[in-house]
Amino acid sequence: MESTRASGSDQPLDATVAVIDLPVRFAETDAMGIVHHSNYLVWFEAGRIAWMAAAGMPYSEIAAGGHHFAVTSVNVAYRTPARFGESVRVATRLTRLRSREVAFAYEVRRAGDDAFLASGVSEHICVDLQGRTAKIPDEVMAQLRQGTVAPANGA
Amino acid sequence: MESTRASGSDQPLDATVAVIDLPVRFAETDAMGIVHHSNYLVWFEAGRIAWMAAAGMPYSEIAAGGHHFAVTSVNVAYRTPARFGESVRVATRLTRLRSREVAFAYEVRRAGDDAFLASGVSEHICVDLQGRTAKIPDEVMAQLRQGTVAPANGA
Amino acid sequence: MESTRASGSDQPLDATVAVIDLPVRFAETDAMGIVHHSNYLVWFEAGRIAWMAAAGMPYSEIAAGGHHFAVTSVNVAYRTPARFGESVRVATRLTRLRSREVAFAYEVRRAGDDAFLASGVSEHICVDLQGRTAKIPDEVMAQLRQGTVAPANGA
Amino acid sequence: MESTRASGSDQPLDATVAVIDLPVRFAETDAMGIVHHSNYLVWFEAGRIAWMAAAGMPYSEIAAGGHHFAVTSVNVAYRTPARFGESVRVATRLTRLRSREVAFAYEVRRAGDDAFLASGVSEHICVDLQGRTAKIPDEVMAQLRQGTVAPANGA
């Protein structure tokens, strides 16, 4: 699989884990002086979009093809808060791939010192433009399946 | 025009000014301990949506009819910050109504003591589902025009 | 416990469940045409803030007193998407109250037809201004405990 | 001035213009299928933070020093919508530097084809932790002034 760079990533994406670095946005902080917990879902989303791009199947193409991966559940465990001035590193893995479902796992670390900040999981069903559950299109499935296999060259 | 209540409003909407009260959300604050300035655009949007609802033309119907009022410009002047624990009162007026354009003016005050917090204006063009500039549909135009006229009974 | 109204609520809060209605904001929607899943965390937060206000312990007072309920985990199960033009009704219950921890459960329904949209839970630890785990202040604890007891008159 | 890279930037920042590329986040889109207009204020903020970092004065240090640049006004002119699947390139310039005030100008283009999307201006006053207007600290002023001067080597 072609190795690509996600925005701001310090390291190339490999075939099984997508890693992106995101500088904390001031707008993401709250009056506690830390990143508001809702933003982690946005970071997870950026992580799985980077994973799909690295798997050769940009989510924008899936959407343009008339399908979406609707979120059916999310879990987040928050350990250490992220703060403005830091960058977070989101590592994303595909953990389930079925005919109509996918699931991803996420780990968020502080980019500077690799401190563990949070982890989470999201589950998705494939839906069509009318929001009805649908089979994941074959070409999408093929790319996603490829994304779960580390390339021979270990790149 | 039928007088309606916007969410959380202490007072009925009249035909020319829509007034809504919005409790500040903790998620809207930032690390300065005040509401992040980007949220005022979201409040303005809630204000013009309340204005359109009061004018008998819910924006959801305009959108369902295949038209949107795309934002072409916004200006905001910030005087006093809003804080968590307060509610803001957004007063919205329609200031321009042309065949393809509308503009609104907004005033944001603290609900508790009526302190002036911010003001702004937004300009919009009517677009169709393809994003092309379009004439405001006649029935929408009729309702919006009606919204700019105070009812005889001053209700 | 004094019965209060949350913003936009169609019904008074009782002592054990806080119910608030929130009109969907256009800014909360995404390109799938539905509310982006991250906003449910913001709605949950509004729900527990309404619960605390109804329990006689506004969160703004807890924060002003130098304590926060930091989020340690959130789970959300999404059943049916919310759309612009709808209002969501968030029902919040306190499900755990320990010396340093609280947990809340949430149910989100469509205000119009009571359709079930989503449910979730959040866990929190009490922290001081330095972000250190702290005992929930006695006066806060007393109010929260009171909030979990339905008044004799069932008001 | 040391030339630095902003997150995801394809090109080094020079002394007078900070350029950052930001992939559009799906969460930034709305039901019109385009980026919600409020996000441009968040992008502008990222732009001026990148400008300050390039000028050798990270905003996190200014904030840690007890000062903030509170937003007093913002203007945005929207020309062409941004869409998911695109990256936006934000070019930021400092346009005013007084003892207590700064202003920035922004230009947003589509990274792929350099199409002009939007432009804007923001004005700021320096405030202390109590939110009172304050003189910009000398060391901050010195760095910001340096940031407005293109280095001799034109790097």
Side-chain angles (χ1 to χ4, degrees), chain C:
Chain C
M1 184 178 93
E2 186 190 1
S3 176
T4 64
R5 280 188 168 282
S7 156
S9 177
D10 289 344
Q11 57 203 91
L13 300 176
D14 71 24
T16 54
V17 187
V19 178
I20 55 172
D21 284 11
L22 303 170
V24 169
R25 295 176 172 185
F26 193 77
E28 293 173 328
T29 61
D30 65 25
M32 284 179 65
I34 62 176
V35 169
H36 190 267
H37 63 285
S38 61
N39 293 291
Y40 290 71
L41 298 195
V42 177
W43 296 346
F44 288 175
E45 182 172 72
R48 65 181 172 268
I49 284 166
W51 190 95
M52 289 187 265
M57 181 45 64
Y59 189 64
S60 52
E61 288 183 19
I62 299 175
H67 290 81
H68 277 288
F69 287 135
V71 181
T72 53
S73 79
V74 291
N75 301 332
V76 191
Y78 304 89
R79 170 88 63 83
T80 302
R83 292 185 150 75
F84 177 67
E86 304 172 348
S87 286
V88 294
R89 179 163 298 165
V90 182
T92 304
R93 287 175 175 72
L94 183 82
T95 56
R96 188 191 312 151
L97 182 59
R98 297 187 186 152
S99 63
R100 295 161 181 275
E101 293 172 46
V102 290
F104 292 90
Y106 313 88
E107 196 175 71
V108 181
R109 292 179 175 276
R110 197 187 292 132
D113 62 2
D114 207 43
F116 176 74
L117 303 183
S119 61
V121 298
S122 65
E123 298 179 304
H124 309 261
I125 52 165
C126 185
V127 295
D128 61 22
L129 289 180
Q130 286 68 43
R132 292 176 306 231
T133 307
K135 220 169 135 301
I136 298 173
D138 293 344
E139 67 281 13
V140 175
M141 180 62 84
Q143 289 291 345
L144 297 183
R145 198 173 277 119
Q146 193 181 349
T148 63
V149 183
N153 63 4

Side-chain angles (χ1 to χ4, degrees), chain B residues 31-32 36-38 41-42 45 48 59 68-78 127, chain D residues 31-32 36-38 41-42 45 48 59 68-78 127:
Chain B
M32 282 179 68
H36 190 267
H37 63 284
S38 61
L41 298 195
V42 177
E45 181 174 73
R48 65 181 172 267
Y59 189 65
H68 277 288
F69 287 135
V71 181
T72 53
S73 80
V74 291
N75 300 332
V76 192
Y78 303 89
V127 297
Chain D
M32 282 178 68
H36 190 268
H37 64 284
S38 62
L41 298 195
V42 177
E45 183 172 72
R48 65 181 171 267
Y59 189 64
H68 277 288
F69 287 136
V71 181
T72 54
S73 79
V74 291
N75 300 332
V76 192
Y78 303 90
V127 296

Side-chain angles (χ1 to χ4, degrees), chain D residues 5-17:
Chain D
R5 279 189 168 284
S7 154
S9 178
D10 288 345
Q11 57 205 91
L13 300 176
D14 72 25
T16 54
V17 186

Side-chain angles (χ1 to χ4, degrees), chain B residues 10-72:
Chain B
D10 290 343
Q11 57 205 92
L13 300 177
D14 73 25
T16 54
V17 186
V19 178
I20 56 172
D21 284 10
L22 302 170
V24 169
R25 295 177 173 184
F26 193 78
E28 293 173 330
T29 61
D30 65 25
M32 282 179 68
I34 60 177
V35 169
H36 190 267
H37 63 284
S38 61
N39 293 292
Y40 290 71
L41 298 195
V42 177
W43 296 346
F44 288 175
E45 181 174 73
R48 65 181 172 267
I49 285 165
W51 190 94
M52 289 187 266
M57 181 45 64
Y59 189 65
S60 53
E61 288 182 19
I62 299 174
H67 291 80
H68 277 288
F69 287 135
V71 181
T72 53

Side-chain angles (χ1 to χ4, degrees), chain D residues 51-123:
Chain D
W51 191 94
M52 289 188 264
M57 182 45 64
Y59 189 64
S60 53
E61 288 182 19
I62 299 174
H67 290 81
H68 277 288
F69 287 136
V71 181
T72 54
S73 79
V74 291
N75 300 332
V76 192
Y78 303 90
R79 168 89 63 85
T80 302
R83 293 186 150 74
F84 177 66
E86 304 172 349
S87 286
V88 294
R89 178 163 298 165
V90 182
T92 303
R93 285 175 176 75
L94 185 80
T95 55
R96 189 190 313 152
L97 181 58
R98 299 189 185 148
S99 63
R100 297 161 180 274
E101 293 173 46
V102 291
F104 293 90
Y106 313 89
E107 196 176 71
V108 181
R109 292 179 175 276
R110 197 188 292 132
D113 61 2
D114 207 43
F116 176 74
L117 303 183
S119 61
V121 177
S122 66
E123 299 179 304

Side-chain angles (χ1 to χ4, degrees), chain A residues 5 7-13 17-24 40 43-44 47 82 86-92 106-119:
Chain A
R5 280 188 168 282
S7 156
S9 178
D10 289 342
Q11 56 205 91
L13 300 176
V17 186
V19 179
I20 56 171
D21 284 9
L22 302 171
V24 168
Y40 289 71
W43 296 345
F44 289 175
E86 303 172 349
S87 286
V88 295
R89 179 163 297 165
V90 182
T92 303
Y106 314 89
E107 196 176 70
V108 182
R109 292 180 175 274
R110 198 187 292 131
D113 62 2
D114 208 44
F116 176 74
L117 302 183
S119 60

